[in-house]
Amino acid sequence: MNILDPIRHALGMAFVMFWDIFWGLSLGFLFSAIIEEIVSKDEMSRLLPDSGPRSIAIASGLGAASSSCSYAAVAMARSMVRKGADFTAAMAFQFAATNLVLELGLLLVVLLGWQFGVAEFIGGPIMIILLVLIFRWTLKPPQTEAAIIQAKRNVQGSMEGHAQMAMGKHEGNWRDRLGSRQGWIAISHGFVMNWAMLWKDILVGVLVAGALGAWVPDGVWQSLFFAGHPLAASIWGAFLGPLIAIASFTCSVGNVPFASVLWKGGISFGGVIAFIFGDLIIPPILNIYRKYYGGRMSVYLLATFYLVMVAAALMVEGLFALLHLLPQGPRHGLTEGGISLNYTTVLNILFGALALGLYVAYARTGGPQMMREMEGGHCAHHRR
């Protein structure tokens, strides 16, 4: 065997996986850009004044209609706190923005099956409810006040420019904006910026998934996940999932390809869901929490987020088991076949053409300059 064969095998699996998810990513990013253009977020302090049910529901809805990038979601949550939003409501927004977005559900369905997409959208609200309850019972006012004081200091994290842009004003009603040239220019900017925010995570995700899928024998995964011992595997998988997320450093939609490898290897259904949930506690984001809210609060967020991720994953798996909805039969994760003329190819061609058109609009209307300003942590241009 040629020494390069394993590398070619891994790269081939990674490319086929990206091919499978391209149209879903593009559709999700387009949807996110449209929502960010028509939904105003300039009244956050009025909409989220406390941690009551109404504020939490609004925060969750705004999060679901927002970016799927974990870094941008965290930055936007901090911006909300700085503008006067309740701290707990801002954290609810953050959870919804990374777990209840369309593109994540689409990728789970494409790579793993409809049960995983449904489980994600059931587990997200469960996590938010558990988080609110734990905060109410354990988070003391002095801790919150100290975190808010730290949040109002000018400490830069990541994706600050995107957060400022998303918090900008939107003039006119949504029908006028979707029917205007200026509105679609703004949508093209949002679409390209969504790709710019996440392409590294997606690339790392598919490369890691391809390598692990090609090189790690199934027996190794099965031993790690207690395959063949259903109860132990379910409990262990839920606790292990977020820890694997921490170790992998991948986040947002970038961890879905890796999730498919874990599922094929034998991790429990709840373990997959817990792993997907874990993108808010990877080391780079924990460091951002430290900058935003202080060291003590970052440790508190790590502990509480981990607990709600594990508990929500166990509850979702238990519910699906009770309803006899757990996936049955052989586990298929990575696509190992070639590319053929099917619905995926047709959709990729259509969305590829759409993406090219949006990029041309972005490039011709000041998008690259805005991107450079965002990467510098400041966005001087707001959508008009």
Side-chain angles (χ1 to χ4, degrees), residues 1-340:
M1 182 178 66
N2 190 305
I3 192 172
L4 296 179
D5 285 346
I7 297 176
R8 281 196 289 264
H9 186 201
L11 291 176
M13 294 181 75
F15 178 78
V16 172
M17 177 172 293
F18 177 76
W19 181 259
D20 283 344
I21 67 177
F22 173 76
W23 71 267
L25 280 171
S26 297
L27 174 60
F29 290 162
L30 176 62
F31 179 81
S32 176
I34 291 173
I35 292 297
E36 286 193 0
E37 175 58 21
I38 66 177
V39 177
S40 174
K41 300 184 182 71
D42 60 352
E43 296 182 330
M44 288 297 180
S45 59
R46 183 182 66 82
L47 291 174
L48 308 177
D50 53 39
S51 59
R54 182 177 182 276
S55 291
I56 298 302
I58 292 173
S60 300
L62 291 172
S66 186
S67 170
S68 67
C69 173
S70 304
Y71 293 100
V74 171
M76 290 170 69
R78 199 275 291 262
S79 295
M80 293 161 64
V81 171
R82 288 166 63 97
K83 288 175 177 286
D86 178 81
F87 182 80
T88 300
M91 294 301 103
F93 168 89
Q94 185 174 287
F95 266 70
T98 52
N99 292 292
L100 296 178
V101 288
L102 176 65
E103 54 265 41
L104 179 60
L106 280 173
L107 294 195
L108 287 169
V109 171
V110 169
L111 286 184
L112 290 164
W114 67 267
Q115 294 98 328
F116 293 89
V118 172
E120 184 72 15
F121 287 107
I122 292 176
I126 291 175
M127 276 200 302
I128 291 170
I129 292 171
L130 292 175
L131 185 72
V132 171
L133 292 175
I134 291 178
F135 276 18
R136 191 164 296 170
W137 295 332
T138 64
L139 185 58
K140 306 303 181 185
Q143 290 176 272
T144 306
E145 291 167 7
I148 293 173
I149 291 172
Q150 177 66 20
K152 291 182 176 179
R153 295 173 179 165
N154 192 29
V155 179
Q156 297 295 311
S158 182
M159 302 309 299
E160 300 293 336
H162 183 273
Q164 293 176 37
M165 182 176 133
M167 299 292 289
K169 295 181 178 180
H170 302 67
E171 297 178 359
N173 65 60
W174 67 270
R175 292 184 183 86
D176 291 340
R177 294 195 64 76
L178 285 184
S180 70
R181 178 177 180 273
Q182 195 64 28
W184 278 97
I185 288 174
I187 289 170
S188 74
H189 287 201
F191 178 83
V192 174
M193 288 173 185
N194 279 332
W195 272 107
M197 284 190 294
L198 289 169
W199 75 267
K200 291 180 182 178
D201 289 312
I202 295 166
L203 178 63
V204 170
V206 296
L207 289 177
V208 169
L212 293 175
W215 300 340
V216 179
D218 288 344
V220 174
W221 293 119
Q222 291 167 3
S223 298
L224 176 64
F225 300 139
F226 295 159
H229 306 279
L231 180 59
S234 295
I235 297 173
W236 174 238
F239 280 90
L240 186 62
L243 299 179
I244 297 176
I246 292 174
S248 71
F249 276 69
T250 56
C251 68
S252 306
V253 294
N255 60 12
V256 178
F258 193 5
S260 72
V261 174
L262 299 177
W263 174 246
K264 186 174 183 291
I267 197 171
S268 67
F269 181 76
V272 171
I273 302 304
F275 170 75
I276 297 295
F277 289 158
D279 62 349
L280 284 175
I281 55 173
I282 63 173
I285 287 182
L286 291 175
N287 188 48
I288 293 173
Y289 294 151
R290 180 186 61 80
K291 293 179 180 179
Y292 283 176
Y293 308 119
R296 292 184 63 183
M297 181 57 77
S298 67
V299 173
Y300 175 83
L301 293 179
L302 169 61
T304 54
F305 286 6
Y306 177 77
L307 287 176
V308 300
M309 290 166 184
V310 172
L314 289 171
M315 293 170 70
V316 169
E317 179 160 5
L319 176 62
F320 273 60
L322 185 64
L323 298 176
H324 304 289
L325 294 177
L326 290 175
Q328 303 296 326
R331 298 187 176 206
H332 300 291
L334 288 165
T335 301
E336 299 191 45
I339 296 172
S340 59

Side-chain angles (χ1 to χ4, degrees), residues 314-371:
L314 289 171
M315 293 170 70
V316 169
E317 179 160 5
L319 176 62
F320 273 60
L322 185 64
L323 298 176
H324 304 289
L325 294 177
L326 290 175
Q328 303 296 326
R331 298 187 176 206
H332 300 291
L334 288 165
T335 301
E336 299 191 45
I339 296 172
S340 59
L341 183 58
N342 53 22
Y343 80 95
T344 298
T345 300
V346 173
L347 288 172
N348 279 343
I349 292 172
L350 292 174
F351 277 97
L354 175 65
L356 178 60
L358 290 172
Y359 180 80
V360 170
Y362 156 86
R364 290 181 175 178
T365 53
Q369 176 63 28
M370 181 181 291
M371 184 76 72

